Amino acid sequence: MLKDTPIVDCKDCQARLGSIFCTLEEKEIDVLQDIKGCSPYKKGQMIFSQGTVPHGLYVVYSGKVKLHQLAENGREQIVRLAKQGDIIGYRSLLSADRYTSTAETIEESLICFIPKKVFWHFMNTNQTVSVQLMKLLSNDLKKAEHTITNIAQKPVKERLAEAILFVKETYGYEPDSTTISVTLTREEIANIIGTATETTIRLLSDLKKDKIIDFVGKRIKILDHVKLVSLANIDD
């Protein structure tokens, strides 16, 4: 069971300070505080689903979220991982289109919802919010282009190494400074790099044998960061 939902005060909210709403003025924060809603989600619970119509914007107050698309063959492809302070669902809101992906919690999370009319109010009256959103869209496009190139050109083992580094950059380490602070199933890792679960299991085992990574339960522990970066064939 989830604990009682805490009262989220927008003025002191660390998630807001790490989002596109970080520069809101006091009056704008009061508007946000009065109209936003926050709801607890269990692990594996959907926030919104692919093909549905957006009615607002979501902000991750706490927890971790994956966004995935369902292909025609029924296979899931993870297109994004979200953490505290990240906003999700904004592209469909901007384009007045249906959601192109499903947002699902990886662990227990607290998600805030901002109605569409409030979002557009900030977009129309606060230039900084608009600029921050343009930067976010630009960064997302850059990542999407990078992913397409990787899938087309990189061997699976390189994609796996880069995915591990990407997950580490997204969620960081546990206090031991080596264990990545998120639990992903082998299937979820496979759905990030676009390959079969069996292949992912075999390649993870190879990395463990080579003493590049280890496992703490289902969490990945990076033993040799330098070798992992070299294997991923990227500039860290």
Side-chain angles (χ1 to χ4, degrees), residues 64 107 164-165 167-184 186 212-225 228:
K64 300 177 178 68
E107 63 183 32
I164 293 171
L165 292 168
V167 174
K168 185 266 293 183
E169 287 300 317
T170 302
Y171 295 125
Y173 284 129
E174 295 285 347
D176 65 4
S177 298
T178 53
T179 304
I180 300 176
S181 185
V182 67
T183 300
L184 295 173
R186 303 303 181 254
I212 297 175
I213 66 169
D214 201 354
F215 303 107
V216 180
K218 290 186 177 181
R219 298 197 172 194
I220 295 175
K221 184 172 186 174
I222 299 178
L223 300 179
D224 195 324
H225 187 271
L228 191 63

Side-chain angles (χ1 to χ4, degrees), residues 21 29 39 41 55 59 69 93 158 161 183 187 191 205 211 214 232:
F21 301 113
I29 296 174
S39 301
Y41 287 79
H55 297 289
V59 181
Q69 295 178 346
L93 198 60
E158 287 187 13
T183 300
E187 183 179 8
N191 291 341
S205 179
K211 300 187 185 303
D214 201 354

Side-chain angles (χ1 to χ4, degrees), residues 80-160:
R80 185 184 171 198
L81 296 173
K83 62 184 183 305
Q84 183 188 54
D86 285 347
I87 63 172
I88 55 178
Y90 60 91
R91 281 178 292 178
S92 296
L93 198 60
L94 287 171
S95 62
D97 199 1
R98 295 176 182 271
Y99 289 121
T100 57
S101 61
T102 295
E104 180 183 336
T105 55
I106 299 174
E107 63 183 32
E108 290 187 357
S109 303
L110 186 61
I111 310 296
C112 295
F113 175 77
I114 301 172
K116 179 166 59 176
K117 64 178 182 179
V118 177
F119 168 71
W120 280 113
H121 169 72
F122 291 146
M123 285 288 293
N124 292 327
T125 60
N126 189 313
Q127 184 179 6
T128 305
V129 172
S130 299
V131 171
Q132 290 290 331
L133 189 61
M134 283 190 288
K135 289 181 179 179
L136 187 60
L137 284 167
S138 177
N139 190 48
D140 281 351
L141 179 59
K142 177 182 176 181
K143 289 179 179 178
E145 291 172 344
H146 182 73
T147 299
I148 291 171
T149 301
N150 277 356
I151 292 177
Q153 299 180 1
K154 274 194 171 186
V156 179
K157 196 167 188 177
E158 287 187 13
R159 300 206 306 266
L160 174 60

Side-chain angles (χ1 to χ4, degrees), residues 77 151 156 159-160 163 188-195 200 203:
Q77 176 69 48
I151 292 177
V156 179
R159 300 206 306 266
L160 174 60
E188 286 173 328
I189 296 172
N191 291 341
I192 292 175
I193 63 177
T195 192
T200 300
L203 291 175

Side-chain angles (χ1 to χ4, degrees), residues 26-39:
E26 188 172 347
K27 290 182 178 179
E28 294 173 316
I29 296 174
D30 290 338
V31 171
L32 188 62
Q33 176 69 26
D34 289 341
I35 203 164
K36 68 101 171 62
C38 294
S39 301

